[in-house]
Structures are given as structure tokens and as C-alpha cells.
Amino acid sequence: MAARRLKLQAFRVVVFAVCGVFFLVPLGAMLEFSTRGNDVASPRTLAAWQRIPSTPQLADAITASLELAVITSLMMLLLVLPTMVWVRLRLPRLSRVVEFICLMPLTVPAIALVVGIRPIYIWISINVTDSILALAFAYLILVLPYSYRALDAGLGAIDLKTLTEAARSLGAGWGTVMLRIVVPNMRSAILNAGLLSVALVLGEYTFANLLNYENLQVAIQYVSLVDASTSIAVAVAALLFAFVILLVLSLIGSGQAVDKPKRPALARIGSWGQRT
Amino acid sequence: MNWHRFHRLVFAAATVLVVAACGSSSTAGATDWSTQTSASGGGGMDALVAAAKAEGKLTVIALPPDWANYGAIISGFKAKYGIDITSLNPNGSSQDEVNAFDGTSRAPDVVDVGLAVALANADKFAPYQVKEWNDIPTGAKEASGKWYNDYGGYMGIGYDSSKVPTITSVQDLLGSAFKSKVALAGDPTKSNQGLNGVIMASVANGGSLDDVSKGVDFFHQLKQKGNYVPVVGTAATVKSGQTPVLFEWDYLSASHGKDVSTWKIFVPGNAIIGGYYSQAINKQAPHPAAARLWEEYLYSDEGQNLWLKGGARPVRQAAMTSAGTIDTAAAAALPAVSGTPQVPSGDQTSKASTYVQANWSAAVA
Amino acid sequence: MTAAGNPALSAAARPLGGGRRLPLSWLGVVPFFLYVGVFLLLPTGIILAGSLVAADGSISLANYEGINKAFMYKSFVQSFEISAASALIGAVVGALLAYAVATGNPTGFLRRAIMSASGVVAQFGGVTLAFAFVATIGTEGVVYKFLLDRGINMYPDTVWLFDLRGLTLIYLYFQIPLMVLVFIPALDGIRPQWREATDTLGGNTWHYWRYVAGPLLFPSFLGCTLLLFANAFSAYATAAALITQGGIIAPLQVQALLTSETGSAQPGLAKALALAMIVVVLVVTSFYTLLQRRTSRWLT
């Protein structure tokens, strides 16, 4: 047992070391470049970073992107998760269709997809609203492949049918089943789907750009073209910003798992398999 | 009330109404600027400025701040007229600019496009003639004013003189001192700048504006010798030393001087390829008056000199030099060019483009 | 409700004509399909309609014939190669990394940091990613020079960073974190009872993975690999910045045909290509479905 534990720890250390080098070295190279002076002999400077707050309309763009991230993630959870549960329980023959539909947005390059969705957005701009928040509908489509896969992995790990039948036979309505049975058992899957959605929305450029909206990535494009070092500084800053947002999200997400056990009976049913 | 008095009352009321209507149409913005073809036609520059200020916003597209000093031009316009400018898609291509005409209120008002795109999309533009229309040479504009050249430059080879020896001819690039150092600033199969780089290489190697094959062969040789780097050259790749030799418009090359103090520009005497961009106004511009005011600003002495400061050659340069309004210091700072520039026509560009599309991958893969 | 307590009759096996349950079941998926219909299927239809319009404005299949060229096929084949390679390698390495994370403290900071970092990096790409890699292992790169000083030349003959091999390596940068994020929920579902059962039956680690955990995780693993494949297949921004060689992969062809400013923009052909890409992924998905069915037969 101890030997197995040791082997596992050794495995973990090796994997983290190799992956750490692979992922952190290029980021380090970017950081190094963004602080370079203009001549070989010039000292390190933060001038490139100091140019970032001068982005026109940066505050508006950040707010818009954050709002879009929240709206898209909520819509994803409200639309995709119940549909996936329903299909698994009642319409398994549709599962392949749903799976392919959820994969479709990823099969076409974003610029081609924009061409198709543009007429719909022109209609929305003229007849409904000019607000950038309308982009949430398109972003939900973009988020479908990733969130479907994360949620599917989570759904596959729990015995959905037994759990729901047990809850229903105890008298729970579908709302209770979703909120008290399914969701608590899929914490890590829901969290990961949420992380992927937020990260996608914060990093999304093509749709906003080609539909003439100004989200975070579009706004920082302008200042990134002022200067060589600024272009890289801006990219690293955007990555760090998204990282912090996601970290906060994951702290909120798994923070709630600590005060879970309130109803003993349901909690026991709920604790089959999922540890988050 | 007797009939006669009633008649008079109605007539008076009608007259008042008609006069009021006429009055409002000549003051409060009934001039439809989207159909005006010149400032004077709409009531003069003052009327134009007032209408533009009333609109309050302008949307431009594909104008990076370090491209021919557009950063200063945009802030100059904002400061002079107090009109807010939204700059869409700064990295976009000319085709992206025209693709963005979607009829919504967020569409761009004005565009700055290459010749090929201007020719192909002339029906999307509103004709307009700036005050200085006659200063623009005949071949540099569309007769009714749908598009008109704004600035241009020559295709040059920018290089970091501390990393490679001085370049005196295009053939120097085949030398061993240039291993893994030569790059283009755009993919010639889709970028106007990249294509002109290959055309310049072709002319410098014995080809012509009609024959781009020598250029493709030249890059093939570069690739064989290991001198060619397929990365798209940007300010970041220049500063980091990834692309120390870059085929680029000379005015764009000039902007690298602030990152690399030893940056020099070489324009081959036997292959001076000129490229001009063109201004055009969106027929369905959401802010037609502001769009026209922008054009007036760009072609004013102030606007043209700002482009000159960015290293580009403004289209009114000859006229301004003889009028004495040119910024002589900036004009002197332009790279010296001896020889006759050649500018590829629309047909020559598309012929070259077709050839490059078919043969580029095989040449540099 | 007579079938409620009968395990042999699951909802799926209910005969088509039987019960009023069926129409109500379909109601449950209406919101999803309505939304997807407007924002995904309708745009696809618009793209399809656009692809049937030839360059001269007439309705024809000319654009589909335009795909029938050697360099188009080559770009599809090359797309397929890098997508498959980066998906498989990314899936394996990602699964290992996911396992390393999943076996740690579930509420620990390391897990949260890695999950958040994975989310961010999985969406990273384009010009900046290309720049980061060239700055690291390009000919002026930090790591390249470091290794060169110690006698190891990474590029003995050609600089492979700038061809398909380099592109595959760069794609791994966002494929691996994506795999970590989508596969970890499956790993979280590994129950200690499985290991205990294997131990009781006298099996060792190899038996555990080969006969118990492996097959149970395989359907999920396969689905995640498919996602990685599609992700790489439609990615183009990184390749566009790294390789000015025309359309060496299919999405670059699409980009060129939509945004080319040298007069060669052909939106109709671009749309036909986009649909061809959907067809390719449809074919791959069918193989995946077949494979899934065979390997998870005993799980139902």
C-alpha cells in the first residue's frame, strides 16, 4: 500500500514537472519580452504594462465581457444541463443527435460561422437591441461543445437513473431532483463547464470583432498595436485577468461543498461516487 | 364667423405652416448628408461641422495606431471636433472592412482599402469629393468620387543593421549571413502587402509587374538556402529579433525605428513598387456627416502632414510642396528613392495574385 | 405508471405507440432545439445557401467542384493529420495530467489553480501563442539557444517549428489543458470500491487499469478525444500567424477565401469548404460512435 502510494506520488511529481516546464516556459518568454527596453543595453521596463490602462473604453469592455461571461454560463447551465439529463433519462436515442449538434460549432472555423450568423445579428441589431449582451446567444453556441463534454463526463460518472428514480419515488419533483440530486453530484463537472464557458467568453475575439461589437479582446487589440512590447504585455495581462476570475469562480464553486450535509437521507443518496 | 374671414384665417394658418416647415428644413438637419457629394453642396464646411458634431460619433475600421501615424490622426480629429471615434478591428484586412458593411448602426462609416478591394466594391461606396479634389491626380481617384487615393509608400526591405550586413541589393538576401532571418509582413496569398513584396522581388530579379514568377522563384531559393522564416512579421517579431529582415511598406518599416534603434530601410533602385491605399465612404454610413468631415480632415494640410510624419507619402504631396504647406522636416526624413516608381494596376495585381495562389505553397513549403 | 417499479422496462425500451408519455418527453427538449435551431442550424443553412451561389451569381454546385483540386485535398489531409496527432497526444498527456490532479486534494489550492490555469490556456491561441513559441524554441529562442550552448541542436536540418510538426506541438499547448478540464469529471467518478474489488480478487495495478478502470473510463476518454480533434480541426489563428505559406490547412483556406484582399476572395467557395469540414467531422463522429458502441456494450 505504501509502495503504491509512493509510486503515485513519484508519478505526480514527474507529470507536474514536465507539464510545468512545457506550459510555463513560453509564458515566461512572453513576460520577459514585455519588459524589455528598446535597446540591447536598456534596462528592464514596465512601460509596456503601464500603457494598458490607457486603452480607450477599457472599463466598459471589461464590464461587458464579464456580464457576457455570467449570462452565457447561466444560460448554459439552465439550457444544456436539464436537456442532457432529460435526454439521458427519457430519450436516449436522441443522445447521438444532441452530441453531434453540440460538437458542430467546433467543426467550422469561427469566421465561417460568423458569416452564417451575421444576418441573424443584423436582424437583432435593427429590430431588438443594439446591446453587446445580445452576443450571449452566439457565445452559448460556441460554448456548447466544451460544456457538453464536461457535463457528459460528469453525468456518466453518476448513476443518474437510479438516483432520480429513488428521489422521484420519495416524492421529489423534477426541480428538486435537479437542484438537490443532480447538481450536488456533479460539482466538478458543472464547475469545469463553467470555467470553460467563462474562459471562452473572456477570450473570444472573432465573433465580437466581425459583428462590430467591442468586448474585452477587441478593446485591447487597439492598444496592443501601439507598440511591440505592449502587444505581448496586453496578452499576458488578459491571461492573468482571466486566471484570477476563474480562480475566484472555482473558490466559490467548491467552497459550497464544505457546508453540504443538511438533509441526511438525500445527502447519503447524493454522496455516491462524487467527491469534489 | 363669415366665410371670407374664415378663408383668410385658413390661408394664414397654411402659410405659417409652410413657412415653418421650410424654415425647419433649412436649419435643423434636413440636409441629408448621406447623398451630398461635396461640402459646398450641403451648405458649406460650417454646416458639415455642425451636422457632424450633432451626430457625435464616427466609426472607423482597420486603422492600427502605428500604421502611417493613424494614432495621431485619430486623436487629432477627436481633439479638433470633439467627435468620438470607435476604432473597429484594427488588424483587419481591406476585405474585412468591406465585409463589415452590415447596415446596422455599428457598421463602419469610412474605409481605407487597397486598390483591388476598392475596385471590386465601388458600388458600396457613396461618391464624395473633398475640397482639395483637384489636387489628387486623375489616375489616383474614381471619376465620380467613389474612392480616392490617400497615401502610399514603396515596398522596402527593413533590416536590423546590428544583426545583418548592409543590404545593397535584393540578391544580397541569398547570402549565408541571412540564415533564418528573412520574412514577409503578410501571407502573399491573401495580404496586399505580402503580394507586393513578392512583386518587388520579382521586378528586382528580372521580372516585371506582369510577371511575378521570378519573385516566387526568389523566395523558393531563399527557402532552399534556409534564409526564409515563414512567421508573419509584426512589431513584436521585429523587436524580439525573430524577423530581423522584413519585406514591408516603407512607412510601416519606419515605425520599427522606435523599437530597434539600428533599424534601416532599403528600397531597391531597380524595383520601386508603389502602393496606394484609398479612402471611401460607406453608402449606408450610420454617421454620414461625420464620415464626410473625416474625409475633409484627412485631405486637409493637417491630415496630409500627419501621414507624412508617419513615413507615408500623402497623395497631395506634390501640390502641397509647390504651395509651401508641406512639413519639410518630415518630407526630408522619408527614405531616399532614386528612380521611377511603378504602381501595379488592378489587372496586374489580380494576375499576380492568381499566379501566387497557385504556386506559393509549393515554392516555400 | 405500472412500469415504474419494473427494472426491465426502462423508458427507452417503451414501445413507440405505447403511453401518453412520449409526446410529453419530447416537450422537454423543445427549448434546446428551438435555441439551437435559430442560432446554429439556421446559420448553417445560410452557409449552405451561400455555398450554392457561384462566383457569377448563379445557383450551382460550382463551388463544390472548386473543392475538387489537389491543393484543397492536401489542405484537408494536412488538417486531418495535425488534428488527429494533436488530439491523440493531447488526450493521453492530458489524461495523465488530469489523473495527477484528480488524485490530489480535491479542495486544495493546487487543483483549483491548475483548473483555472487550464481554463485560460485552453482558449489561448493565435498570434500571441505563435510568438510565445517562436520566442522559446525559434531560432532566436531562449530554449533553443540554451540547448545549443550545451551541444544539442534542435534543428539539424530544417526548422521543423514552422511546418506541421511544429504546429502540432503548438496545438498541444491548448489541447492538453482542454483535455484536463473535460476529462477530470470522469476521473472524479472513480470509486475506491473499484480498486478494493480488484485487490480482493488478487489483481495488481495493471489488472485494475486494463480490466476495470480503463474500460469504464474509455467512453469518456474517447468523447474527449473527439472534442480535441474538432477543436484542432477548426483552429486557424495560430497557423495564420506562424506559416505564411498559403492555406496549408483547411481552415486557413476558408480564412483566405473570406478575407483575402488581393482580389481572390470567394465567399461561396469558402462556405462550401466550411460545409466540407462539417462533413469530415460528421464522418469522424460516426467512427467514434461505432467504436463507443462496441467498447461500452457491456456497460449498459
Side-chain angles (χ1 to χ4, degrees):
Chain A
M1 204 49 200
R4 192 189 292 169
R5 183 144 277 229
L6 204 62
K7 267 195 265 178
L8 181 63
Q9 291 306 333
F11 165 78
R12 295 181 78 219
V13 166
V14 167
V15 168
F16 285 139
V18 170
C19 290
V21 165
F22 181 68
F23 286 104
L24 292 175
V25 170
L27 288 175
M30 283 169 66
L31 201 60
E32 184 273 326
F33 178 75
S34 69
T35 53
R36 265 195 221 173
N38 275 350
D39 272 310
V40 190
S42 300
R44 293 260 156 222
T45 166
L46 282 177
W49 288 82
Q50 285 158 350
R51 243 174 249 125
I52 298 176
S54 69
T55 314
Q57 293 151 339
L58 181 64
D60 289 335
I62 292 183
T63 320
S65 277
L66 287 174
E67 284 173 2
L68 277 170
V70 169
I71 297 175
T72 309
S73 309
L74 284 176
M75 275 171 60
M76 180 264 296
L77 288 174
L78 289 173
L79 188 68
V80 180
L81 184 58
T83 307
M84 285 172 68
V85 169
W86 192 256
V87 166
R88 251 182 205 252
L89 291 178
R90 295 269 181 263
L91 303 163
R93 278 196 253 137
L94 265 189
S95 69
R96 288 287 166 246
V97 174
V98 171
E99 185 164 10
F100 183 68
I101 287 183
C102 286
L103 199 59
M104 261 180 74
L106 212 48
T107 63
V108 180
I111 31 167
L113 210 49
V114 170
V115 170
I117 218 171
R118 186 181 267 145
I120 298 171
Y121 266 91
I122 293 178
W123 185 91
I124 292 180
S125 281
I126 298 177
N127 296 307
V128 181
T129 170
D130 223 7
S131 159
I132 189 178
L133 296 180
L135 264 183
F137 291 110
Y139 282 172
L140 181 53
I141 293 289
L142 292 178
V143 150
L144 273 183
Y146 307 102
S147 50
Y148 175 86
R149 192 45 65 190
L151 293 173
D152 188 64
L155 279 176
I158 63 177
D159 191 354
L160 188 66
K161 211 156 72 64
T162 317
L163 284 175
T164 49
E165 276 177 13
R168 300 267 290 159
S169 65
L170 285 171
W174 278 111
T176 318
V177 170
M178 285 300 298
L179 282 174
R180 289 260 200 84
I181 306 294
V182 176
V183 167
N185 272 297
M186 287 183 57
R187 283 230 179 268
S188 94
I190 290 179
L191 180 67
N192 286 5
L195 288 181
L196 281 166
S197 308
V198 170
L200 186 141
V201 173
L202 289 179
E204 209 287 320
Y205 174 73
T206 312
F207 267 66
N209 193 28
L210 293 178
L211 293 173
N212 299 340
Y213 289 106
E214 281 213 39
N215 71 353
L216 176 62
Q217 293 291 331
V218 171
I220 63 181
Q221 260 294 322
Y222 188 75
V223 79
S224 80
L225 290 167
V226 166
D227 186 64
S229 300
T230 315
S231 65
I232 301 300
V234 147
V236 177
L239 287 176
L240 286 174
F241 176 72
F243 176 67
V244 167
I245 300 279
L246 291 188
L247 202 57
V248 168
L249 191 66
S250 68
L251 282 167
I252 299 175
S254 28
Q256 283 172 3
V258 180
D259 52 19
K260 234 298 64 190
K262 267 189 220 153
R263 302 285 204 97
L266 285 175
R268 228 173 290 133
I269 294 179
S271 68
W272 280 1
Q274 205 63 13
R275 45 171 203 150
T276 309
Chain B
M1 185 178 312
N2 73 27
W3 185 238
H4 193 60
R5 229 200 254 168
F6 179 69
H7 231 214
R8 250 195 282 161
L9 211 56
V10 169
F11 184 72
T15 319
V16 168
L17 280 171
V18 169
V19 168
C22 285
S24 65
S25 77
S26 65
T27 51
T31 319
D32 184 6
W33 279 100
S34 63
T35 54
Q36 296 303 327
T37 54
S38 68
S40 50
M45 273 300 285
D46 293 329
L48 180 58
V49 174
K53 283 192 178 157
E55 284 172 359
K57 275 181 56 162
L58 177 72
T59 310
V60 297
I61 187 168
L63 300 182
D66 60 351
W67 180 292
N69 208 13
Y70 260 116
I73 294 176
I74 289 178
S75 22
F77 183 81
K78 270 200 252 204
K80 185 164 183 184
Y81 297 109
I83 297 175
D84 232 353
I85 296 188
T86 309
S87 183
L88 300 173
N89 200 359
N91 244 342
S93 71
S94 297
Q95 187 64 41
D96 283 331
E97 300 186 44
V98 173
N99 286 349
F101 285 179
D102 59 8
T104 65
S105 64
R106 288 170 287 107
D109 295 303
V110 289
V111 293
D112 183 15
V113 292
L115 183 62
V117 174
L119 289 170
N121 294 281
D123 55 351
K124 300 202 178 98
F125 304 143
Y128 184 75
Q129 300 185 356
V130 292
K131 276 200 328 251
E132 298 85 359
W133 181 251
N134 296 321
D135 282 349
I136 306 175
T138 323
K141 59 195 178 188
E142 193 270 341
S144 67
K146 294 219 174 95
W147 52 263
Y148 20 98
N149 283 356
D150 43 18
Y151 60 86
Y154 303 127
M155 180 53 61
I157 304 176
Y159 62 99
D160 185 352
S161 53
S162 67
K163 291 211 163 75
V164 298
T166 312
I167 300 179
T168 51
S169 79
V170 174
Q171 286 76 11
D172 284 354
L173 297 178
L174 292 169
S176 54
F178 291 87
K179 214 157 170 71
S180 281
K181 290 188 163 46
V182 184
L184 286 160
D187 187 333
T189 60
K190 27 184 208 266
S191 148
N192 193 26
Q193 196 178 180
L195 182 63
N196 276 284
V198 180
I199 293 179
M200 183 261 261
S202 185
V203 172
N205 278 291
S208 72
L209 291 184
D210 295 300
D211 172 26
V212 77
S213 63
K214 303 265 186 324
V216 177
D217 291 339
F218 175 74
F219 277 94
H220 179 64
Q221 286 178 23
L222 275 181
K223 171 73 194 201
Q224 301 283 72
K225 290 202 166 6
N227 292 4
Y228 178 67
V229 179
V231 175
V232 172
T234 63
T237 63
V238 164
K239 182 168 178 184
S240 66
Q242 295 168 10
T243 57
V245 180
L246 192 55
F247 278 74
E248 229 183 348
W249 292 122
D250 58 359
Y251 52 88
L252 296 181
S253 230
S255 68
H256 299 315
K258 65 179 188 305
D259 293 322
V260 178
S261 54
T262 46
W263 191 256
K264 293 198 172 47
I265 305 172
F266 165 71
V267 179
N270 60 347
I272 307 174
I273 307 296
Y276 272 82
Y277 277 82
S278 303
Q279 285 290 319
I281 299 179
N282 182 358
K283 220 175 6 183
Q284 300 173 310
H287 314 102
R292 285 159 177 75
L293 185 61
W294 171 255
E295 299 297 346
E296 295 291 349
Y297 179 72
L298 291 178
Y299 286 87
S300 69
D301 292 337
E302 189 182 336
Q304 298 275 300
N305 273 326
L306 280 173
W307 268 327
L308 188 60
K309 261 219 208 78
R313 291 154 213 276
V315 73
R316 284 183 59 223
Q317 190 173 5
M320 281 167 70
T321 315
S322 40
T325 46
I326 201 90
D327 180 344
T328 38
L334 292 175
V337 159
S338 55
T340 340
Q342 311 176 49
V343 180
S345 71
D347 285 333
Q348 286 168 327
T349 313
S350 49
K351 215 171 105 187
S353 165
T354 320
Y355 182 87
V356 165
Q357 292 264 323
N359 298 287
W360 185 253
S361 289
V364 299
Chain C
M1 295 297 273
T2 49
N6 189 342
L9 253 183
S10 74
R14 213 174 280 265
L16 224 87
R20 273 188 288 122
R21 265 270 148 127
L22 200 56
L24 282 176
S25 298
W26 285 89
L27 261 179
V29 292
V30 162
F32 177 76
F33 277 100
L34 203 61
Y35 168 74
V36 160
V38 172
F39 284 96
L40 181 60
L41 300 176
L42 183 57
T44 310
I46 292 175
I47 297 178
L48 176 65
S51 71
L52 294 172
V53 177
D56 55 12
S58 61
I59 312 250
S60 76
L61 288 174
N63 287 318
Y64 289 95
E65 285 155 35
I67 307 182
N68 192 8
K69 283 204 188 71
F71 70 92
M72 288 287 186
Y73 281 142
K74 190 160 179 214
S75 72
F76 267 89
V77 167
Q78 290 179 162
S79 256
F80 189 88
E81 283 172 350
I82 30 173
S83 305
S86 68
L88 287 169
I89 303 175
V92 169
V93 176
L96 290 173
L97 182 56
Y99 186 67
V101 173
T103 48
N105 181 359
T107 50
F109 182 74
L110 181 68
R111 174 166 172 143
R112 295 218 186 99
I114 294 188
M115 291 294 104
S116 309
S118 298
V120 173
V121 177
Q123 299 294 333
F124 186 37
V127 178
T128 340
L129 181 61
F131 177 86
F133 262 82
V134 179
T136 313
I137 55 173
T139 48
E140 293 286 316
V142 173
V143 172
Y144 174 73
K145 288 211 166 122
F146 178 78
L147 291 176
L148 201 63
D149 288 338
R150 278 151 188 73
I152 312 172
N153 184 358
M154 282 178 74
Y155 306 123
D157 40 19
T158 65
V159 183
W160 50 260
L161 176 64
F162 299 126
D163 62 34
L164 294 177
R165 287 167 287 178
L167 201 58
T168 310
L169 181 67
I170 300 181
Y171 276 13
L172 285 177
Y173 200 80
F174 53 77
Q175 296 282 59
I176 294 175
L178 181 61
M179 183 66 178
V180 169
L181 274 175
V182 290
F183 191 54
I184 256 198
L187 286 175
D188 281 338
I190 292 180
R191 297 164 208 182
Q193 292 88 345
W194 301 354
R195 197 62 202 256
E196 288 162 17
T198 325
D199 287 340
T200 326
L201 290 169
N204 58 18
T205 309
W206 161 248
H207 291 120
Y208 171 65
W209 282 110
R210 168 73 179 86
Y211 296 109
V212 182
L216 281 170
L217 291 172
F218 194 65
S220 220
F221 179 81
L222 213 56
C224 296
T225 312
L226 179 67
L227 179 72
L228 261 60
F229 174 83
N231 194 30
F233 197 63
S234 62
Y236 64 91
T238 317
L242 193 69
I243 305 179
T244 59
Q245 288 173 18
I248 62 162
I249 53 175
L252 274 183
Q253 293 276 6
V254 176
Q255 188 206 29
L257 289 165
L258 282 174
T259 63
S260 164
E261 47 179 14
T262 55
S264 48
Q266 292 178 62
L269 183 54
K271 291 169 192 172
L273 268 178
L275 284 171
M277 289 175 71
I278 298 184
V279 169
V280 171
V281 176
L282 184 61
V283 169
V284 172
T285 312
S286 325
F287 276 116
Y288 150 78
T289 312
L290 247 95
L291 194 57
Q292 260 246 14
R293 227 175 267 162
R294 301 191 83 216
T295 56
S296 58
R297 216 179 276 156
W298 66 277
L299 278 175
T300 47

